[in-house]
Each structure stands twice: as structure tokens, then as C-alpha cells.
Amino acid sequence: MKELDRLICHQKATIKEVMMCIDKNTKGTAFIVNDEKKLIGVITDGDIRRLLIEGYGINDSIEMHIQEKFVYVLETENLQDIKNKFNHRIRIIPIVNEEMQLVDYAEYDENVHISLAQPQLNGNEYKYLMDAFFSTWISSTGKYITEFENNFSKYCGVQYGIATSNGTTALHLALTALGIGAGDEVIVPDITFAATINAVIYTGATPVIVDIEEDSWCISPDEIEKAITPKTKAIIPVHIYGQPCNMGKICEIASRNNIYIVEDCAEAHGAEWKDKKVGSFGIISCFSFFGNKVVTTGEGGMCVTNSKELNDKMRILRDHGMSKERKYYHEVIGFNYRMTNLQAAIGTAQVERIDSILEWRTELEGQYRNVLSEISGIRLQRNDLPYRKKIAWLVSILVDEEKRDKLLEVLKNSGVDVRAFFVPLSEMDIYKKYANDCHVSKKISKMGLNLPTTYEVKKEEVDKIAALIDSVLV
Ligand SMILES: *Cc1c(COP(=O)(O)O)cnc(C)c1O
């Protein structure tokens, strides 16, 4: 017997026959069809229970109890539409053809996987990608490179954009163009992705790791101040988890001490400090377009700057250090840090709708805030700090240190992709020798976790995740 046939009952069946059908198929549901095999209703074990309570006999016909309205989907509907019809009551949905004949059914999977992050590629991404592909300009020259560089830097309010192969190479390119190297010191925050500090180490400079602020989780201006020495050449403020750093204080410190700022904006495309976008404060600012970032090109990155001189320098360094005037004459030891036209095609489409991407993210974060604020023991990421307009990259929360790992485990076992905060750089053997006292970051990192933040997470999933968290924190 086919799986689907186990769910089908004829309209003339008795209540008992429908009960037996439901009992055998173990789905809690029977699909009722007429003589032409057309679907005319859905009966659940709950419906049967109600009929018996109302006094109907098990040998009565089911026919008069079939509801005219019931949920079904057409075989032509897409997956997302089907998914949207599930709720806490409806766990199984018949799929029919144009004639209303049953062809299959969809079942809700309790353990359906909820991803932490996922690129949203349903704008012009495919169209531009194919355009680049068929143009045969699939390497690192082509119209989309220029378009992406222009549009993204303009979005940040900065004059020049230099697309790179990823965010790490963008950071390395920026530091190299600024002449940073052996004997120099560069200040980085303790909570960041390793790429930030690695880029410093690649140049031969010495990283200096400083603590974060308790409220924003971003690099602490006071700790920067304390860490400055005559060797300090640059500060890399990282706008962590979508939260902009205190750029007022950091810019003031940098200019007073004659130090460069290189922003790491990998996690905060579109965030603002005093109505100015991140990326517009550094002498050079760096972005990543990795698959889990707000704007993605798969792999990719960009340096943005207002300096024509640095723009020219970075373009040469990105392209093997080759002279612009004399082909195959190399003026400096450069790199191949170029982005391909294929990646830039995707990026161009992403930038077109960055506002709408940020909008659904903010809306989703709002839904999380609504339900999570009801649960005691949760500290939500601050979105009310003066002058800062954060974006929702990964929705981030703090819980009791003792409960955090248990929470990670429970959520993962329920198919919810969650992530612990970054391990502080100061706690890793390879970096700890560069660290100043970082007690705040050590504490915060043990409490933090990132929750699924994708366009597929709907109210249902938010509620499910909140209920799971609640069950651990009580
Ligand atoms: C993602 C990320 C990077 C590195 O970007 P890649 O494109 O993966 O090289 C750098 N810094 C931070 C803070 C990041 O989150």
C-alpha cells in the first residue's frame, strides 16, 4: 500500500472506519474523497473525539461531518507557500492537482532545521550572474566589478571602493597600503573574528588586544587610550554583531595621537554612528561579503576610502603590485586579492536591495525582542545606546554563564542552529601574548549566543525558539 493511500477514506465510510484508518496510518489525519477520487475534506483524530463526545455512534457515516473548509495546497505551489500553511494545529497538508485529486501530502517535521544564517538571493542575483557568465568576463575584469565598487562605496558615503577576494584580504590590503609593518603596533578588540588580528600579524606588526565595553560589546575607547604607545600606528574598531563602535571617542583619540583608524565593518553593513554610516570614519574601512554577512558575494570583501592616493595604491597592491603604466613591471611586492566579475554581479544585485534586507532583519529582531523580553534571565543586545544605530546581523543575547552551554545543546538538538559568541582572542594560545587585561570580554563571551537570523525564520520559529530557551532558563 502506498503511503498516501493509508490516509484516504471514502466519504461513505463510517466514523469507525475513519478511526481505524487514522489508527493505522499513525498520522492523526484522514483525507476524505468522493467517487471521483476528489478531495472533499480532512478529518483529524480531534474531530472524531468531538463527534463521539457529541453522542454520534461509531457506525454513523462520516459524510455529514465533513467541513467544507479545509487546508490544502496545489502541487504547483512552492515550498515556502506550503511551509507558511503549517501552524501548531495543522501538521499535515494534502497536496492536490487542478482536479482536486490527491497527489501527495506535506508533513511538518518537528525537527526541521532552522539555519543560523543564509544568503537571500532572490533579487537580480541570478540574472546578473548569468549576464556576467554569458559575457565570458568571468575573471577579475568586467562591468560588475566597477558597478559593485561604485554602488557599495556610495552606499557607505565614501568615494572609492576596492573589491577584494574576501574580508581578510581587504584588511591586509588596507594595513599594507598604510605602510604598517614590523615595529608598529595595531590595537584590536578582544572579541572579534580571528581575521582581524591575523591581518595585523601578516604585516609583521604587533597586535595589541584590548577589552570591550560592557554595554555595546565593542572595543572600549578607555582601553584603547591606555594601550597607546609611541609605536601605535592604527586602531581597528570592529562593529561587532551589527553594533557600531563609539566612533566619536575613537576618532578623537586617533586624531589626538595621530593614529590611523581602519574600521572592520564585516558584521555591520549599514550601521550608523550619529547618522553616518560605518565605513565612513576610517582612513580605510573594510567589509566582508562572506555567505553569512548582510551583503554577500559568496566570498568577497571591499576596502572603502576617501583618499585617491590610497585608492590607487590599493589597486596596484591588489593586482600583484603591477605598474599601471608599464605592464609586467612590478613597483611593489603585491598580492592577487582581486574579486571576480561573477562575485561582483551577485554583489551588485545585493546592494540594490540592501535596504529591504536590513528591513526584514530589523523586523525579525523586533519579533525576537518581543518574546524574549518576557523571559527572565535574558539580556538582549542593546539597541538604545546614544548615537548608535545598530543593524540586525545575528540576533544576539546574553544568558547566565552556567546556563549558556546547556542552552546551546538543547537548541542544537531541536534542530535550531545557534552559535556561541567568539572565543576571546586573549584566551587562545596563539594570541594571548598580545593581550592586555580583558576581563569584560572574558565574561561576556561565556554568556553570549547568536540566534537564527534568516528570512526563513517566521513568527512560528521565533516562538518555538523562545519556548525552548524558556524551558532551559526556568
Ligand atoms: C567575517 C569577518 C571577517 C573576515 O571576512 P572573510 O570574508 O571571511 O575573510 C573579518 N572580521 C570580522 C569581524 C568578520 O566577522
Side-chain angles (χ1 to χ4, degrees), residues 182-465:
D184 299 332
E185 287 176 1
V186 177
I187 297 174
V188 299
D190 196 26
I191 298 283
T192 183
F193 182 57
T196 316
I197 188 168
N198 286 346
V200 175
I201 297 171
Y202 301 158
T203 67
T206 306
V208 178
I209 302 166
V210 305
D211 210 352
I212 60 168
E213 295 176 315
E214 173 102 37
D215 55 359
S216 71
W217 314 334
C218 293
I219 193 165
S220 154
D222 293 340
E223 297 304 312
I224 292 175
E225 189 100 53
K226 284 190 218 158
I228 289 174
T229 74
K231 292 182 179 172
T232 310
K233 277 279 157 57
I235 307 165
I236 310 185
V238 180
H239 309 295
I240 199 84
Y241 301 131
Q243 183 82 270
C245 298
N246 184 337
M247 292 317 293
K249 278 195 181 159
I250 295 171
C251 289
E252 188 274 312
I253 294 168
S255 80
R256 179 156 38 83
N257 291 281
N258 207 10
I259 299 169
Y260 295 128
I261 293 173
V262 175
E263 288 176 75
D264 182 340
C265 311
E267 302 181 359
H269 313 61
E272 292 173 12
W273 167 265
K274 280 197 177 175
D275 299 324
K276 265 183 76 187
K277 291 232 157 48
V278 299
S280 63
F281 298 92
I283 177 100
I284 304 174
S285 300
C286 304
F287 288 84
S288 164
F289 306 118
F290 184 64
N292 65 8
K293 306 292 160 93
V294 169
V295 166
T296 185
T297 59
E299 292 277 1
M302 198 181 292
C303 295
V304 298
T305 182
N306 281 320
S307 155
K308 174 155 190 337
E309 190 194 331
L310 287 170
N311 171 55
D312 295 346
K313 212 166 172 181
M314 285 193 278
R315 286 179 186 282
I316 290 169
L317 281 168
R318 178 183 65 174
D319 194 7
H320 302 284
M322 199 169 354
S323 161
K324 289 277 176 213
E325 284 76 42
R326 192 170 162 201
K327 224 144 178 105
Y328 300 108
Y329 187 83
H330 299 262
E331 297 166 340
V332 285
I333 299 168
F335 320 101
N336 176 359
Y337 281 175
R338 295 175 307 232
M339 175 182 272
T340 69
N341 198 39
L342 296 174
Q343 293 164 303
I346 297 174
T348 302
Q350 290 263 290
V351 176
E352 278 177 1
R353 51 203 193 82
I354 185 167
D355 288 333
S356 80
I357 292 174
L358 289 171
E359 208 170 280
W360 68 250
R361 285 178 171 277
T362 306
E363 203 172 306
L364 174 61
E365 189 184 34
Q367 288 180 1
Y368 270 113
R369 276 181 191 280
N370 280 343
V371 286
L372 295 181
S373 60
E374 305 281 309
I375 301 174
S376 65
I378 294 186
R379 247 166 76 195
L380 294 152
Q381 187 181 21
R382 296 281 296 268
N383 64 350
D384 57 349
L385 295 170
Y387 307 126
R388 303 190 211 217
K389 189 173 149 222
K390 72 178 282 296
I391 56 136
W393 178 48
L394 295 177
V395 172
S396 307
I397 60 170
L398 302 184
V399 297
D400 246 17
E401 190 186 322
E402 302 84 62
K403 298 268 175 76
R404 204 274 307 267
D405 290 347
K406 173 81 185 155
L407 195 50
L408 284 172
E409 186 192 319
V410 168
L411 288 167
K412 280 205 172 129
N413 289 341
S414 310
V416 181
D417 233 359
V418 280
R419 206 166 82 174
F421 271 20
F422 293 123
V423 176
L425 298 175
S426 61
E427 285 186 355
M428 291 185 261
D429 286 340
I430 52 174
Y431 303 125
K432 58 169 62 137
K433 60 176 174 283
Y434 304 119
N436 288 359
D437 170 37
C438 292
H439 60 276
V440 180
S441 59
K442 281 187 172 65
K443 183 180 81 181
I444 298 286
S445 112
K446 288 193 193 76
M447 300 169 73
L449 68 166
N450 308 118
L451 300 176
T453 314
T454 85
Y455 62 100
E456 292 209 325
V457 175
K458 306 283 180 224
K459 182 86 177 58
E460 288 272 308
E461 282 84 18
V462 170
D463 289 344
K464 173 183 165 169
I465 292 166

Side-chain angles (χ1 to χ4, degrees), residues 23-54:
D23 186 50
K24 278 217 190 84
N25 71 33
T26 69
K27 303 286 186 196
T29 302
F31 300 149
I32 313 296
V33 298
N34 63 16
D35 283 335
E36 289 144 42
K37 299 218 158 74
K38 290 185 183 179
L39 182 69
I40 57 167
V42 175
I43 297 285
T44 66
D45 46 9
D47 296 330
I48 300 276
R49 204 177 324 120
R50 278 185 290 278
L51 290 175
L52 297 181
I53 289 168
E54 282 168 32

Side-chain angles (χ1 to χ4, degrees), residues 9-10 12-22 58-59:
C9 289
H10 192 269
K12 299 283 183 215
T14 61
I15 291 179
K16 180 177 176 183
E17 283 165 335
V18 177
M19 280 167 77
M20 285 167 64
C21 171
I22 292 176
I58 57 171
N59 291 319

